[in-house]
Amino acid sequence: MDTTEHLVERLARAVDDLEIRRVITDYAALVDAREWEGLAGILADEVVADYHNGRTVVTGAQAMVDYIRDNTAHLAWQHHMIAPYGVDVAGDRATVQAYLVSHQMLKDDPSHVLMMAATYDLEFDRGERGWVLSRMIHTIKVANHLPITTAPPNGAAVPPAVSH
């Protein structure tokens, strides 16, 4: 039988899990919406971000925001779908692996969309602002520029409800 103390601990773990997942999904939404001030608000002041399979390391919240802003300025739009797995909390620190599927359209070529599959290895710290992202390793698994077409591939049958 669960004791009140045990139930309180379980509830606290569940709340931590939900709050961390919220930071992760907020990250995606804020990047897509280009809400730079909001993005800075969920980052630790000394966040470290490792991009492009180790080729670029950025340190500091404002530096990370500037890096993302500068490296997405050429896009008409982007859509990050992030799925966090295995939120592991130890006191005021947490680690998470998240899977990413991102679609991005270049302003200069609206006939193609970039599709990227990647992972994020994330670390979080809990402080005065709640949970904030303190470390991110972004590992690209595949990135392809795909043509946008309304024709189904190889003449495959597509129901009218999903036809363009």
Side-chain angles (χ1 to χ4, degrees), residues 44 46-51 57-61 64 133-137:
E46 295 302 318
V47 63
V48 176
D50 180 332
Y51 289 102
V57 176
V58 178
T59 302
M64 185 172 169
L133 179 61
S134 58
R135 183 164 179 78
M136 178 176 77
I137 300 172

Side-chain angles (χ1 to χ4, degrees), residues 18-32:
L18 288 171
E19 288 176 347
I20 291 164
R21 288 173 187 273
R22 177 61 188 257
V23 173
I24 294 167
T25 56
D26 283 354
Y27 171 85
L30 292 164
V31 168
D32 290 348

